[in-house]
């Protein structure tokens, strides 16, 4: 498969396929001919079962913002393990976490702690329906909010690679309207239709699309979304599962200066530990049971281990925000600028999108600004780029429908090696 050997991974995948559907526990982890298996991770590196050391730009799909196996977070978790890992009674640390979030997340007057991104977005949507007493939702083509019925229409991430609609209730999917990103007129048209006018409960949006490659909101787009939703009594949900605590301490909401009604967070919140949350206005959030009638519940919600990890993560981000956010942006800019130089020198039809600590490259001569433009890029060339980068010990997510991430622990040596690898990979892609 590559210059570096993944023989042990190949054997492990053969074993996995016999007992795990498709050999993986989440479809994005599969790529042809087989994925590599990881034994451990540290900082910016993954250590595979084959003995390879890879510089990681996938980072648990954006989760490990403070680097893999961050020792400060690990120490806090170990300390909590000795004190017990699941009580299913309230704990003081949950209050601390919620209080901290209300200070840093612009829309957070109240917070409900959940486990996964999908759980957070699913309950945010239910909450919006209950609050508005309306049924429909608008999402964006290429937007990914988790693997559940309401939001898989034209979804991004792994769901963009095939027509994954089996088993989805058409009745629930029919309540979801998808629109192209960066096109405010299409939303105005949808909202003004007779059958929708009084029935759109919410618009859910990744403020920066990070599951259909990386697509930035054009000037005033999010502002316009905010105005339209306010004018039409529609709840605006920012799905900040990727952007939260990464783009800025207060997420995309702080970065762009726009306050949604509800926002959902996961990934960087626990630096890789399973935790997510829903934040929003008090009058809306009070709808959750037991204070309201929107039933949201989970055995593992607010478990002490994940809460300890999140509290430590946020403590680090709060204390070091003046260095962390500029540093990751500078690191990302340096890498992106160098790749752009290579593209320019080699006169390649390649486009690069980036913001903060995120970037993605597309084989396209036109700007990539929505789902259709990502679909029209050369995916075969991207797959080739992925393979050659892997041969050079660089791991990026294995699809153009994903985003590359930088952690606070990617250092100059990593970046230099990555620039060289992109130079080699781009030359080989163009030759093929
Ligand atoms: C923006 C966004 N929302 C929601 C989700 C779903 O999160 P999870 O995989 O934790 O259910 C993801 C996952 O990648 C995501 O990127």
């Amino acid at each position: 498969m590559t210059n570096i050997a993944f023989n042990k991974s190949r054997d492990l995948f053969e074993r996995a396929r016999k007992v795990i559907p498709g050999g993986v526990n989440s479809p994005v982890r599969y790529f042809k001919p087989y994925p590599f298996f990881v034994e451990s991770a540290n900082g910016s590196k993954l250590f595979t079962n084959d003995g390879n050391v890879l510089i990681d730009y996938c980072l648990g799909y954006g989760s490990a913002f403070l680097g893999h196996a961050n020792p400060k977070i690990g120490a806090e978790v170990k300390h909590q393990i000795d004190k017990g890992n699941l009580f299913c009674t309230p704990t003081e640390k949950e209050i601390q976490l919620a209080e901290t979030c209300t200070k840093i997340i612009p829309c957070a007057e109240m917070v409900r702690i959940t486990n996964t991104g999908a759980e957070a977005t699913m309950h945010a949507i239910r909450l919006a329906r209950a609050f508005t007493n309306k049924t429909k939702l608008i999402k964006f083509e290429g937007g990914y909010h988790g693997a559940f019925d309401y939001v898989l229409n034209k979804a991004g991430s792994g769901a963009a690679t095939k027509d994954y609609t089996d088993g989805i209730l058409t009745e629930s999917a029919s309540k979801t309207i998808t629109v192209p990103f960066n096109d405010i007129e299409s939303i105005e048209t949808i909202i003004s239709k007779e059958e929708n006018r009084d029935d759109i409960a919410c618009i859910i949006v990744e403020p920066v699309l990070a599951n259909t490659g990386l697509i930035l909101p054009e000037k005033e787009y999010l502002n316009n979304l905010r105005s339209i939703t306010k004018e039409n009594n529609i709840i605006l949900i920012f799905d900040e599962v990727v952007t939260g605590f990464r783009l800025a301490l207060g997420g995309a909401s702080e970065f762009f200066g726009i306050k949604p009604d509800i926002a959902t967070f996961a990934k960087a919140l626990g630096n890789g530990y399973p935790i997510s949350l829903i934040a929003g206005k008090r009058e809306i959030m009070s709808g959750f049971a037991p204070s309201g009638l929107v039933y949201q519940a989970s055995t593992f919600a607010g478990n002490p281990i994940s809460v300890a990890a999140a509290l430590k993560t946020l403590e680090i981000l709060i204390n070091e925000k003046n260095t962390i956010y500029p540093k990751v942006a500078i690191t990302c800019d340096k890498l992106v600028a160098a790749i752009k130089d290579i593209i320019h020198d080699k006169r390649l039809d390649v486009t690069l999108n980036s913001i903060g600590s995120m970037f993605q490259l597309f084989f396209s001569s036109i700007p990539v600004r929505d789902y259709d433009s990502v679909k029209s890029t050369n995916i075969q060339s991207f797959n080739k780029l992925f393979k050659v980068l892997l041969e050079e010990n660089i791991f990026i997510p294995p699809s153009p429908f994903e985003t590359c991430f930088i952690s606070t622990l990617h250092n100059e040596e990593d970046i230099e090696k990555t620039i060289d690898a992109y130079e080699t990979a781009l030359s080989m892609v163009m030759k093929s």
Side-chain angles (χ1 to χ4, degrees):
M1 166 171 123
T2 66
N3 292 337
I4 56 173
F6 286 104
N7 296 340
K8 200 155 181 201
S9 289
R10 186 195 52 217
D11 296 347
L12 287 170
F13 187 65
E14 277 313 305
R15 251 177 81 197
R17 275 199 328 178
K18 291 181 186 136
V19 284
I20 298 171
V24 289
N25 281 313
S26 190
V28 284
R29 295 179 198 168
Y30 174 75
F31 54 85
K32 283 182 182 160
Y34 50 85
F36 57 81
F37 281 64
V38 170
E39 211 162 42
S40 66
N42 199 289
S44 60
K45 310 286 188 314
L46 295 177
F47 301 86
T48 79
N49 289 56
D50 322 270
N52 299 314
V53 183
L54 308 175
I55 304 174
D56 185 17
Y57 290 92
C58 182
L59 289 175
Y61 289 88
S63 304
F65 184 47
L66 296 174
H68 290 292
N70 184 292
K72 289 184 186 157
I73 301 167
E76 201 64 26
V77 167
K78 283 174 197 151
H79 179 64
Q80 184 58 50
I81 285 171
D82 289 339
K83 293 171 74 179
N85 61 309
L86 187 65
F87 312 138
C88 287
T89 65
T91 60
E92 188 175 350
K93 289 202 169 151
E94 288 164 85
I95 314 174
Q96 267 175 36
L97 181 57
E99 284 170 348
T100 307
C101 288
T102 58
K103 289 187 191 118
I104 59 185
I105 299 170
C107 74
E109 290 170 13
M110 293 187 108
V111 163
R112 176 55 69 88
I113 301 168
T114 46
N115 302 287
T116 66
E119 205 187 325
T121 58
M122 183 174 72
H123 289 111
I125 290 168
R126 185 179 295 165
L127 189 64
R129 285 185 165 136
F131 185 76
T132 57
N133 204 18
K134 300 195 250 177
T135 67
K136 291 183 182 164
L137 78 98
I138 294 179
K139 76 172 279 291
F140 294 86
E141 294 173 359
Y144 182 73
H145 306 290
F148 59 99
D149 286 18
Y150 302 137
V151 289
L152 280 172
N153 312 29
K154 287 208 171 181
S157 188
T161 55
K162 278 190 193 168
D163 181 26
Y164 285 117
T165 48
D166 283 9
I168 291 179
L169 270 185
T170 35
E171 291 88 337
S172 5
S174 69
K175 292 286 181 188
T176 304
I177 303 167
T178 52
V179 291
F181 193 63
N182 275 329
D183 177 357
I184 209 72
E185 277 170 22
S186 69
I187 295 205
E188 286 166 345
T189 310
I190 295 286
I191 291 176
S192 62
K193 282 192 178 164
E194 183 62 36
E195 71 263 31
N196 296 329
R197 197 165 298 142
D198 296 317
D199 203 19
I200 296 179
C202 61
I203 295 184
I204 185 164
V205 62
E206 292 176 74
V208 172
L209 289 194
N211 286 284
T212 191
L214 179 69
I215 296 180
L216 312 190
E218 288 169 0
K219 202 164 177 283
E220 292 305 314
Y221 184 65
L222 295 175
N223 263 324
N224 288 336
L225 268 188
R226 181 62 286 189
S227 311
I228 287 181
T229 44
K230 264 198 184 138
E231 282 157 20
N232 291 279
N233 187 26
I234 295 169
I235 299 284
L236 179 63
I237 304 174
F238 270 10
D239 179 354
E240 295 234 36
V241 163
V242 169
T243 49
F245 310 106
R246 174 174 275 281
L247 213 45
L249 182 60
S253 183
E254 177 188 319
F255 190 90
F256 294 111
I258 295 167
K259 215 195 242 192
D261 303 299
I262 302 176
T264 53
F265 298 83
K267 303 210 190 232
L269 168 63
N271 204 54
Y273 285 86
I275 185 162
S276 61
L277 60 85
I278 307 162
K281 289 185 178 167
R282 183 177 306 277
E283 55 172 340
I284 305 174
M285 295 293 292
S286 303
F288 276 136
S291 50
L293 293 177
V294 178
Y295 204 69
Q296 184 283 323
S298 163
T299 302
F300 297 115
N303 74 77
I305 303 292
S306 295
V307 168
L311 272 173
K312 191 44 132 185
T313 302
L314 294 189
E315 184 191 309
I316 297 170
L317 293 177
I318 291 167
N319 290 343
E320 299 176 31
K321 71 171 186 210
N322 293 336
T323 48
I324 281 178
Y325 292 99
K327 182 178 170 236
V328 286
I330 289 167
T331 309
C332 188
D333 285 351
K334 185 175 171 194
L335 178 58
V336 166
I339 301 173
K340 280 189 174 162
D341 284 347
I342 299 167
I343 294 167
H344 184 256
D345 289 350
K346 294 187 188 298
R347 294 187 165 74
L348 307 178
D349 279 343
V350 172
T351 298
L352 245 177
N353 289 350
S354 69
I355 187 167
S357 55
M358 307 190 266
F359 68 98
Q360 184 56 294
L361 176 155
F362 304 95
F363 288 90
S364 167
S365 54
I366 53 163
V368 175
R369 61 185 291 274
D370 57 18
Y371 187 57
D372 280 348
S373 41
V374 180
K375 288 221 149 185
S376 71
T377 63
N378 188 333
I379 291 176
Q380 268 183 338
S381 292
F382 185 92
N383 292 340
K384 173 91 183 159
L385 176 93
F386 167 77
K387 280 196 172 151
V388 182
L389 286 176
L390 196 52
E391 286 172 6
E392 300 291 319
N393 298 294
I394 306 295
F395 177 51
I396 62 167
S399 158
F401 294 98
E402 303 292 347
T403 289
C404 300
F405 297 97
I406 286 179
S407 77
T408 54
L409 297 183
H410 280 77
N411 59 26
E412 290 217 355
E413 195 188 336
D414 293 332
I415 299 302
E416 291 305 329
K417 280 188 182 160
T418 309
I419 295 168
D420 289 347
Y422 267 90
E423 173 132 43
T424 307
L426 284 168
S427 301
M428 298 210 20
V429 173
M430 289 309 146
K431 267 189 221 147
S432 60

